[in-house]
Amino acid sequence: MSQSAEQVRDRARALYEARAKRVPIAPFTDQNPELGMDDGYAVQRELTALLLADGDAVIGYKAGLTSVPMQEMFGVSTPDYGPVFASTVLADGANVSPEAFIAPKVEAEIVFRLGVPLRGPGVTVEQARAAVGEVMAGLEIVDSRIEDWRIRLADTIADLASNGAVVLGTPVPVDPSVDYRLLGLAFSRGGALLATGAGAAALGDPAAVVAWLANTLGERGITLEAGQLIMTGALHAAVPLLPGDTFVAEFDRLGAITLRVDKP
């Protein structure tokens, strides 16, 4: 790592206060461009501890940078991850206030819930698929506590992989006959189609995201527990969230979910 323990604490506190006050901060990599993935995760762990101390709870994990274009943008060949907190989970049809975020965007993705624990290293895609108990439609609100989304890899990892909130659809039992790589999506705003996608946009197979998470976290001594959510990554480019918007994600086999944004 290229930062001291004191810097880790200071950066986590800065992100914590930015989240609380809805006031963004400058990228850490502006002053320290050498910061990398391990530096980002060190800050993320400290920030997670601060949020847990406030009474929140980690109920799963999100994977980011699961598509080749996003990895190329950040100059990496691997996804990143962040915890999902209970306080950020919303039900289908939720109304959100744009003032609850700093610079929110919306993206649709497939979300799994584990039926049994999973711990790497060595977890295969087949083992990951077998560990999943339920699948549901998801709309993630990504948000950045970093000014103007001027993020490099260490910045977004430190900032909980830019997670803001997630809307979850009705859970559906996993069907072994369904190939989730081929699960289709139509994403619209105000009735106008904005994007289409398929499960294969997430690391080639959403189940591969689960395996990657289990193996990556396992190297850090963390087990994916039964009941935890796994957000497998965006299936299309994120869209800005604006007052008065209504977003709908229609998934094959999983149904449709809706997110409404309050007007001023």
Side-chain angles (χ1 to χ4, degrees):
M1 290 199 310
S2 50
Q3 59 185 345
S4 67
E6 182 179 5
Q7 287 174 318
V8 169
R9 289 192 295 270
D10 289 347
R11 286 166 176 156
R13 175 59 65 175
L15 284 171
Y16 176 86
E17 293 179 355
R19 292 172 65 87
K21 298 175 182 178
R22 307 286 190 263
V23 177
I25 60 176
F28 301 133
T29 53
D30 273 5
Q31 290 187 328
N32 297 94
E34 75 281 2
L35 293 175
M37 184 174 284
D38 288 343
D39 298 295
Y41 283 124
V43 177
Q44 184 190 106
R45 288 191 293 273
E46 189 74 17
L47 174 58
T48 297
L50 291 172
L51 295 170
L52 292 175
D54 282 345
D56 215 332
V58 173
I59 59 167
Y61 293 88
K62 67 155 288 185
L65 308 183
T66 53
S67 68
V68 172
M70 289 301 294
Q71 290 179 12
E72 290 177 344
M73 182 185 301
F74 282 88
V76 298
S77 58
T78 180
D80 67 353
Y81 70 84
V84 176
F85 284 93
S87 64
T88 67
V89 176
L90 307 171
D92 180 21
N95 282 71
V96 298
S97 168
E99 285 76 26
F101 306 96
I102 294 174
K105 303 179 182 182
V106 183
E107 54 192 39
E109 56 192 271
I110 295 169
V111 181
F112 290 132
R113 179 177 282 128
L114 292 183
V116 297
L118 198 60
R119 178 160 182 165
V123 173
T124 66
V125 174
E126 291 71 25
Q127 290 170 330
R129 190 178 292 115
V132 173
E134 295 178 326
V135 58
M136 63 204 84
L139 278 173
E140 183 181 8
I141 301 174
V142 291
D143 195 20
S144 183
R145 275 56 64 169
I146 305 298
E147 289 174 344
D148 302 322
W149 280 96
R150 292 191 299 110
I151 51 174
R152 297 185 188 180
L153 186 63
D155 300 306
T156 182
I157 289 175
D159 190 21
L160 306 183
S162 302
N163 181 240
V166 59
V167 179
L168 296 178
T170 302
V172 176
V174 165
D175 183 345
S177 69
V178 175
D179 187 343
Y180 290 100
R181 298 176 308 155
L182 308 181
L183 200 72
L185 157 76
F187 177 72
S188 63
R189 178 179 58 199
L193 181 67
L194 292 184
T196 59
L203 214 58
D205 183 343
V209 177
V210 179
W212 176 84
L213 262 174
N215 291 326
T216 302
L217 290 171
E219 293 173 355
R220 300 177 183 272
I222 301 171
T223 299
L224 291 176
E225 303 291 352
Q228 286 191 325
L229 300 173
I230 306 297
M231 298 169 60
T232 60
L235 303 183
H236 60 89
V239 174
L241 179 151
L242 300 173
D245 280 343
T246 296
F247 295 98
V248 177
E250 300 169 278
F251 285 84
D252 183 31
R253 297 179 181 266
L254 303 182
I257 54 173
T258 302
L259 167 67
R260 298 180 178 87
V261 187
D262 294 338
K263 295 181 179 179

